[in-house]
Amino acid sequence: EMEEEEREQNFVTSGARKESNAMGIGRDSLHKRRATGGRQKKWRKKRKHEMGRIPAGTKISSNVCVRRVRVRGGNYKFRALRLDSGNWSWPSEAVARKTRVLDVTYNASNNELVRTQTLVKSAIVQIDATPFRHWYESHYGVKIGVKKVKGQKQEEVVDDTKRSKHLTRKLAARQADRKLDPLLDEQFVTGRLYACISSRPGQCGRCDGYILEGKELEFYMKKMQKKKSK
């Protein structure tokens, strides 16, 4: 009897699975009510152009996986399932570097996407600061991300490697316009920078974005602080 019950249970679950697989994701508005509030009769079947697909749910993993999906018009989308790095730009310095994505810290649309560490457009992530620190130190000849001791006045640490006179003059000229956001400098100490994803990993298969600075960085830091305090 027990075996028969198990068999029946398996049959029911497999049947349910088949039914759920047969259901499609639709983006049509035929199933919705009219603007006046009246119900619409179903006067035609679904169309291919109204079809939807399941979300990519891109995760952070070194085992990178990008799938090619054939879409309408014979075009292709690149569905990233697992990514661990991307190209990130530093807007105020007009420089970009490829670096690792370490963590998803904030998402305005859904906290579940933070809990599940899902990479989507406009998510706030932490990226590895090392490539940007190396560039800054070689470009300006100044060390950044130096840990500050409480109560002691921090002086600028100059990189004292041997240089030609021409390079020394060039670095001195660059120093005139150099400004580093104090909040960014604090992040360089930890080795992680806050950044915003500007590409769509589930559509183009890439995780690219820009480093947060200024008012935008302050805004998101306040939001994250508020979330921690709850």
Side-chain angles (χ1 to χ4, degrees), residues 140-164:
Y140 289 108
V142 174
K143 286 196 182 296
I144 56 170
V146 179
K147 204 167 188 181
K148 290 171 184 169
V149 182
K150 217 173 185 182
Q152 286 185 16
K153 196 182 177 184
Q154 189 69 31
E155 290 183 12
E156 197 174 80
V157 183
V158 180
D159 191 1
D160 54 355
T161 51
K162 201 172 182 184
R163 296 189 182 93
S164 66

Side-chain angles (χ1 to χ4, degrees), residues 9 24 43 47 80 113 121-122 134 148 153 155 173 222:
Q9 190 67 36
W43 51 274
R47 298 287 186 261
L113 298 175
K121 188 178 176 177
S122 296
H134 287 329
K148 290 171 184 169
K153 196 182 177 184
E155 290 183 12
K222 274 182 192 171

